[in-house]
Amino acid sequence: AGTAFCGLAQVLCETKKDDDDDDDEDGLKPEERKEAPAPGGGQCHLPTYTKADVSKHTTEETRVWVTYKDGVYDITEFVAGHPGGAGKIMLAAGKAIDPYWNIFQQHFRNGYPLKMLEEMRIGTLAPGEYIAEDLADPYAADPERDPRLVYHNKTPCNAEVPQELLTESYLTPNHLWFVRHHHPVPVINDNTWELVVSGKGCKETRLTLDDLKSDRFKKTHVDVTIQCSGNRRSHFGKTYKKAEGIPWNQGGVSTARFSGVRLRDVLLECGLTDADEAGVRHVQFFASDDMRASIPVDKALAPHGDVILAYEMNGMPMPADHGYPLRAVVPGHVGVRNVKWVQKIVAAAEEAEGPWQRGVAYKGFASNITDIKSIPAHVIDRAVAVQEPPIQSLIVEPREGARLEGDQINVKGWAYSGGGRGIVRVEVSVDEGKSWQVAELGEGSQQQLNRAWAWTFFTASVSLPPHLKGSNTTVICKATDAAYNTQPERAESVWNIRGICNSSWHRVPVSVDK
């Protein structure tokens, strides 16, 4: 039961439909779910309990009870499968979950959480025991955001860069950066904030922001593209079949010049000089919003791995939305490893705990797994959490459905590959892949081929075959990197239930006037 709950809970925390398609089988919008009565009510045979009764049920032996509104629920079997870890949900043991759901509003995105609660209802609070609280909006302090971003949801915020603005500037302006949050943006006082570094081979060290900016550490700058592993998830549904998760188009990606100190220098300062001798295999990042993730220690300590703890972004103090006062920037790795609001770093033998590293959310399962609710625990444990993304290229112009004129089709876009593998070639087709033309590589093409941490822009002007005049066709791009990895032709060859790492050829249907 725990495994099934784990898979289901991951989906409810990560899945979000388009803003105009929030309904699922319960026919409700998120705000309507928040206002709905406690699930499982209307069962007159259920006993009544006081809050004092509920407070006695806080362990597996006594059973773990919680309340939601006026309902009483036995969640004992669910605890092990909670996506945030058993420790998080046990904070509510014997108490109300309402304040937690007010923060983690993913619970209202679809009907699954309420349906799950309904099945766990065991009783009702006695009359007068439940008084609805006017809970403060935990997202009220979130920063203002550019209205041009394409919002998948706002609490927590998940928004992408509009397609037409992706290649307007090589370095994405801070206010146009894509936003991928799991929780409210933490409010941090930099006067009291400090970074704690500890773990195997390290002497516990506390560093203030002034320490990190002092002469103890050399300031460094790195141009880095960060891409959500779910970028292009919606494209699976267009050419093959839908995957679970936020339906990113192609704007879950941005590039900035990050400035800060090398993680390697900080770890060396704290005494980690020989990871093998200390038994360190991973470096874990802990964020102020309780998110955590980890990277291999080989990447963290690599002299040319360029992992930094960044306090500036495009020459400005790190914006709150992107990790103020400090974020990890892990060049060549997927977005979730670039942990924002870092407050603790641990050198460890194991990967970080939690759904972002060990759960289903950032693992690519075999294509025969089509039901996330029934993935066995041993399959989840065996699957590898994504670190470096595969090679990718995308067309920004023309847009899907564009009506084109003339004898030439002008194409522009961007390409990127994980692990610092530079782009050596992009090819474009305007006749659905029957013939190809090599595009011209622009900004980004001069990066070192083994340290190409940022995207490469490309353009092409392709002659239109006469027989395509007055018809529909598909413009396609595919890229090749310095290791001669190239994109797979079809989405079905890389489809996975979580919809991560869609690197198939980008196909843009257009029509051509006579």
Side-chain angles (χ1 to χ4, degrees), residues 22-38:
D22 284 325
D23 295 335
D24 64 0
E25 61 275 5
D26 68 3
L28 300 177
K29 297 287 187 180
E31 58 273 15
E32 294 172 324
R33 295 187 187 104
K34 290 175 68 175
E35 299 301 322

Side-chain angles (χ1 to χ4, degrees), residues 235-281:
H235 295 189
F236 277 127
K238 291 179 180 180
T239 60
Y240 183 48
K241 64 180 178 181
K242 184 180 175 182
E244 300 285 357
I246 294 171
W248 298 97
N249 180 25
Q250 62 164 290
V253 62
S254 299
T255 300
R257 177 162 298 155
F258 291 100
S259 303
V261 301
R262 294 184 184 276
L263 174 61
R264 167 186 166 86
D265 292 347
V266 172
L267 292 173
L268 289 172
E269 172 81 5
C270 296
L272 185 60
T273 56
D274 191 326
D276 289 338
E277 184 177 306
V280 177
R281 296 182 61 192

Side-chain angles (χ1 to χ4, degrees), residues 92-157:
K95 297 180 290 189
I97 61 173
D98 305 53
Y100 299 93
W101 280 30
N102 191 48
I103 294 174
F104 303 110
Q105 295 188 19
Q106 299 96 317
H107 293 89
F108 300 109
R109 287 189 198 152
N110 58 49
Y112 284 129
L114 294 175
K115 183 177 180 181
M116 292 169 68
L117 265 189
E118 181 177 8
E119 297 170 357
M120 294 184 252
R121 185 154 181 167
I122 59 169
T124 301
L125 285 175
E129 285 286 297
Y130 170 67
I131 300 174
E133 297 181 45
D134 183 15
L135 298 172
D137 181 3
Y139 294 91
D142 272 17
E144 291 189 15
R145 301 180 175 108
D146 196 301
R148 290 174 294 176
L149 293 173
V150 180
Y151 290 89
H152 292 285
N153 46 278
K154 295 185 177 181
T155 54
C157 184

Side-chain angles (χ1 to χ4, degrees), residues 427-466:
E427 297 167 79
V428 174
S429 171
V430 299
D431 56 4
E432 304 189 6
K434 296 181 178 65
S435 62
W436 297 88
Q437 177 174 314
V438 176
E440 174 147 357
L441 302 182
E443 289 184 277
S445 61
Q446 299 305 312
Q447 299 176 88
Q448 294 183 42
L449 290 180
N450 61 343
R451 292 172 76 182
W453 306 127
W455 54 13
T456 295
F457 288 174
F458 68 85
T459 57
S461 184
V462 186
S463 297
L464 186 70

Side-chain angles (χ1 to χ4, degrees), residues 167-489:
T167 56
E168 284 292 295
S169 172
Y170 187 74
L171 299 179
T172 312
N174 291 353
H175 61 279
L176 282 177
W177 253 71
F178 86 100
V179 181
R180 175 67 174 106
H181 293 340
H182 302 91
H183 309 124
V185 174
V187 178
I188 297 171
N189 183 343
D190 57 351
N191 292 318
T192 59
W193 175 91
E194 60 182 5
L195 174 69
V196 181
V197 184
S198 63
K200 290 177 171 290
C202 293
K203 57 181 181 291
E204 182 171 310
T205 305
R206 296 175 180 269
L207 299 165
T208 66
L209 197 57
D210 286 340
D211 291 332
L212 293 170
K213 293 179 178 180
S214 71
D215 292 340
R216 290 172 64 180
F217 302 102
K218 181 181 178 181
K219 185 176 181 179
T220 191
H221 313 274
V222 188
D223 292 354
V224 178
T225 292
I226 296 178
Q227 179 180 209
C228 178
S229 62
N231 202 31
R232 293 190 66 198
R233 181 178 285 128
S234 66
H235 295 189
F236 277 127
K238 291 179 180 180
T239 60
Y240 183 48
K241 64 180 178 181
K242 184 180 175 182
E244 300 285 357
I246 294 171
W248 298 97
N249 180 25
Q250 62 164 290
V253 62
S254 299
T255 300
R257 177 162 298 155
F258 291 100
S259 303
V261 301
R262 294 184 184 276
L263 174 61
R264 167 186 166 86
D265 292 347
V266 172
L267 292 173
L268 289 172
E269 172 81 5
C270 296
L272 185 60
T273 56
D274 191 326
D276 289 338
E277 184 177 306
V280 177
R281 296 182 61 192
H282 304 272
V283 174
Q284 303 175 355
F285 303 109
F286 293 76
S288 296
D289 71 337
D290 289 334
M291 186 270 184
R292 62 189 66 179
S294 56
I295 62 172
V297 71
D298 291 348
K299 173 68 175 178
L301 291 178
H304 299 127
D306 295 328
V307 181
I308 68 171
L309 301 173
Y311 47 76
E312 290 178 4
M313 179 174 170
N314 289 331
M316 302 293 292
M318 186 66 62
D321 248 347
H322 302 292
Y324 181 86
L326 194 75
R327 83 171 293 169
V329 175
V330 187
H333 285 230
V334 293
V336 71
R337 309 297 159 222
N338 295 259
V339 176
K340 301 184 287 285
W341 313 297
V342 173
Q343 63 177 6
K344 183 170 70 171
I345 297 173
V346 176
E350 303 291 336
E351 289 184 302
E353 297 279 357
W356 302 280
Q357 196 76 37
R358 301 201 187 192
V360 301
Y362 293 94
K363 293 185 175 182
F365 297 96
S367 58
N368 66 313
I369 295 177
T370 57
D371 181 5
I372 204 165
K373 300 186 293 296
S374 59
I375 304 176
H378 73 277
V379 174
I380 296 174
D381 292 342
R382 191 173 60 221
V384 177
V386 62
Q387 294 280 354
E388 297 179 358
I391 185 167
Q392 181 73 274
S393 68
L394 287 163
I395 295 167
V396 173
E397 292 182 8
R399 293 182 64 90
E400 184 175 336
R403 187 170 179 174
L404 307 178
E405 300 176 342
D407 298 325
Q408 301 282 120
I409 294 182
N410 296 316
V411 182
K412 72 174 184 177
W414 60 270
Y416 169 77
S417 189
R421 294 177 287 273
I423 300 299
V424 298
R425 183 170 65 247
V426 175
E427 297 167 79
V428 174
S429 171
V430 299
D431 56 4
E432 304 189 6
K434 296 181 178 65
S435 62
W436 297 88
Q437 177 174 314
V438 176
E440 174 147 357
L441 302 182
E443 289 184 277
S445 61
Q446 299 305 312
Q447 299 176 88
Q448 294 183 42
L449 290 180
N450 61 343
R451 292 172 76 182
W453 306 127
W455 54 13
T456 295
F457 288 174
F458 68 85
T459 57
S461 184
V462 186
S463 297
L464 186 70
H467 71 276
L468 291 179
K469 289 288 190 74
S471 65
N472 297 328
T473 189
T474 302
V475 182
I476 303 172
C477 68
K478 61 178 180 179
T480 301
D481 69 20
Y484 285 95
N485 300 304
T486 191
Q487 294 173 254
E489 179 177 352

